[in-house]
Amino acid sequence: MKKIYFLLLFWLTLSSFHYSQAQSAKANYELLKGKSFVQSKNYYLLTLFQNLPEVKNFLSNDAVLKNITKQKIEALNNATNQCQSKVSCIAESMQFSEAEIQEISKRLGELYTETNALGKMVSVHLIPSGTYILSQKLPAKEQLIKAWEQDAHGINFTIGVYVAGQKPNYPNIDSISFKVTHKSYPQLLGDLHKTLLEETKNDNLFFEPSLTAALLALEINEREQVADYEPMASTVNKLAFDRIKTINWKAFPYAVILVPGAGPEEPEVALSAEGMLRCRVAALRYFEGLAPFVVVSGGNVHPYKTKFNEAIEMKKFMVEKLKVPANAIIVEPHARHTTTNMRNTARLIFRYGMPFDKACITSTSKSQSMYIQELNLDKRCEKELNHVPYRKGKRLSETEAEFYPLIEALQINALEPLDP
């Protein structure tokens, strides 16, 4: 009996090990670009559907999904007459209904097996990518369905904000570029609708009409900054990325020094006074040898639709004025909030193959440092990201505190299309 018990225990342990291994994100996994970085960074599952030939053929030849595609295109065509110039009606015709989302979820579940095209995609791409990592404890089929539902709701959110004019999470910086109540807007929307019909008339994948609508909406709103400077490892971060493999990490107490951006409020100002001061303090820490790299983090955020990028301007200041070597600065040019300063830095550490278990530090103003370390940033992360992308370490000074990156940072946030 004891022998059987131990064999059973060994089998369960082995099964658990294989399951946990199968669920893990891989640092050497190369994310597919697809048609654009805007698409792949927001809707990675749909990018896989389009760009893996075996999966694309499998889905496009399914009779149930083909019928859904046909009905969607017909509904878009009918919207021309049914909606007239009603903005909300046209936007809804572009979105997925909840009934459609659930019907597709059901069909994907019916089609999935571990050994067919969908099963291979989940094991070879979806799970190793880490882009839906918050579902990693679910069975593989459920991870597929959750990823689909996330992408579908994300598309609906984008269309809701950038076609229908609904409020985003941060209206002051992320709102639609047009006044939906202006008499000229229905005409623009009509032209968008016509373009959508032209571009999707030959689509054979069930999600493509709505996906195209979301991408067109971001384009005409000039909200494609999520793709700026990509692929960063071969553009703005090439010097630093190439240097990573040469670093003796044991020689440094920390992996990186993170400097969160501080956007100015005046359109003509490239870098705020606060941003300059944060850079100066971080440069001191760098020259003290605390870490081999400084991460400057911040996107095109303040003021509304600014042309200046916080991270790019901080790097210029640190290189030109403070003489920090360019190959010691990693640019993170997409974050729009303190939450994503932390999350995006954790992502870069993982994707760039830096030690993921090594402590890092934030170097910033006293007030923001307190907010990150002692106050409510972790609660805000839970609310806005559905996870906390870092673990707190100890406080080092009024302006510096330790943090450790967490793997949950890889999760796409479907409700922030400007920095998902």
Side-chain angles (χ1 to χ4, degrees):
M1 182 62 73
K2 285 185 178 180
K3 184 177 180 181
I4 294 174
Y5 171 78
F6 284 116
L7 284 173
L8 180 60
L9 182 62
F10 174 77
W11 181 83
L12 288 171
T13 303
L14 188 62
S15 298
S16 175
F17 172 77
H18 283 308
Y19 181 77
S20 64
Q21 289 293 99
Q23 298 300 307
S24 59
K26 307 297 183 186
N28 62 353
Y29 175 81
E30 292 189 17
L31 294 165
L32 301 186
K33 174 192 171 185
K35 291 183 177 180
S36 71
F37 283 107
V38 177
Q39 175 182 319
S40 62
K41 291 177 76 172
N42 273 285
Y43 317 113
Y44 194 61
L45 175 67
L46 305 187
T47 301
L48 294 176
F49 283 169
Q50 279 186 331
N51 287 273
L52 299 175
E54 188 178 354
V55 176
K56 183 177 181 178
N57 292 335
F58 182 72
L59 296 175
S60 61
N61 289 320
D62 179 71
V64 174
L65 296 177
K66 284 173 72 173
N67 188 52
I68 292 173
T69 308
K70 180 182 176 182
Q71 290 176 351
K72 192 65 180 179
I73 293 174
E74 287 177 355
L76 283 169
N77 278 292
N78 293 337
T80 303
N81 296 323
Q82 292 177 352
C83 295
Q84 298 300 320
S85 60
K86 191 175 180 182
V87 172
S88 61
C89 178
I90 296 174
E92 286 174 10
S93 74
M94 298 175 179
Q95 294 172 316
F96 298 104
S97 69
E98 279 303 315
E100 287 173 331
I101 293 173
Q102 293 308 311
E103 183 181 3
I104 293 165
S105 292
K106 181 174 181 292
R107 188 56 182 161
L108 290 175
E110 292 169 346
L111 291 172
Y112 174 89
T113 70
E114 289 185 359
T115 56
N116 68 8
L118 284 178
K120 292 175 183 177
M121 180 205 70
V122 171
S123 63
V124 175
H125 289 278
L126 190 72
I127 292 172
S129 76
T131 48
Y132 304 89
I133 199 165
L134 295 186
S135 300
Q136 67 178 335
K137 293 182 180 179
L138 297 174
K141 180 170 75 173
E142 294 301 314
Q143 291 189 56
L144 170 64
I145 292 171
K146 283 283 188 183
W148 150 246
E149 291 177 352
Q150 174 176 309
D151 282 11
H153 287 122
I155 284 171
N156 283 356
F157 181 86
T158 297
I159 294 170
V161 173
Y162 295 107
V163 176
Q166 295 169 1
K167 284 188 177 182
N169 296 324
Y170 289 85
N172 290 340
I173 57 173
D174 295 339
S175 292
I176 190 171
S177 301
F178 313 101
K179 289 186 177 180
V180 297
T181 56
H182 195 278
K183 62 181 181 181
S184 65
Y185 186 65
Q187 181 179 339
L188 175 65
L189 195 53
D191 291 338
L192 172 65
H193 187 253
K194 290 174 186 175
T195 302
L196 177 62
L197 291 175
E198 282 295 316
E199 294 200 7
T200 60
K201 62 185 178 182
N202 296 319
D203 283 352
N204 56 9
L205 286 171
F206 59 92
F207 58 86
E208 288 180 322
S210 295
L211 171 62
T212 302
L215 296 175
L216 286 173
L218 291 171
E219 180 180 79
I220 66 171
N221 278 273
E222 298 180 310
R223 290 299 197 177
E224 297 181 299
Q225 287 83 9
V226 69
D228 287 353
Y229 311 106
E230 295 285 8
M232 293 189 294
S234 58
T235 57
V236 290
N237 287 334
K238 180 172 174 32
L239 292 176
F241 180 76
D242 290 345
R243 180 170 166 257
I244 287 172
K245 61 179 71 74
T246 71
I247 299 299
N248 174 16
W249 294 100
K250 293 180 180 180
F252 299 91
Y254 299 104
V256 303
I257 302 165
L258 164 60
V259 191
E265 293 302 330
E266 301 79 18
E268 70 280 1
V269 176
L271 180 62
S272 70
E274 181 62 46
M276 294 179 191
L277 294 174
R278 292 181 186 183
C279 287
R280 283 192 168 278
V281 174
L284 291 173
R285 302 293 89 85
Y286 168 77
F287 287 119
E288 287 170 3
L290 291 191
F293 295 101
V294 176
V295 176
V296 286
S297 174
N300 296 62
V301 185
H302 298 283
Y304 176 76
K305 296 195 79 171
T306 178
K307 300 300 181 183
F308 293 107
N309 182 277
E310 293 174 9
I312 295 296
E313 297 304 325
M314 286 193 290
K315 179 179 179 179
K316 286 181 185 177
F317 183 77
M318 295 190 83
V319 172
E320 296 171 8
K321 193 72 179 283
L322 307 181
K323 307 306 178 185
V324 177
N327 67 359
I329 300 177
I330 296 173
V331 170
E332 189 294 292
H334 302 123
R336 305 182 71 78
H337 315 291
T338 309
T339 55
T340 47
N341 290 141
M342 304 296 289
R343 183 200 67 184
N344 294 359
T345 298
R347 288 177 176 178
L348 286 177
I349 292 169
F350 184 79
R351 299 290 186 201
Y352 284 7
M354 303 166 78
F356 203 66
D357 57 353
K358 193 174 182 69
C360 306
I361 60 174
T362 53
S363 181
T364 183
S365 62
K366 177 181 176 180
S367 60
Q368 189 183 43
S369 186
M370 289 290 292
Y371 178 61
I372 293 171
Q373 187 75 1
E374 277 87 19
L375 299 178
N376 295 320
L377 183 62
D378 50 352
K379 293 179 181 177
R380 184 176 158 199
C381 286
E382 285 284 5
K383 180 181 177 182
E384 297 179 11
L385 306 178
N386 204 26
H387 69 274
V388 180
Y390 63 93
R391 176 171 60 84
K392 296 176 185 177
K394 63 179 181 286
R395 174 160 294 287
L396 303 176
S397 69
E398 288 186 334
T399 54
E400 279 84 30
E402 294 179 344
F403 74 95
Y404 294 83
L406 297 179
I407 198 67
E408 288 82 358
L410 301 180
Q411 173 72 34
I412 292 172
N413 181 5
L415 303 184
E416 289 285 353
L418 307 191
D419 181 31

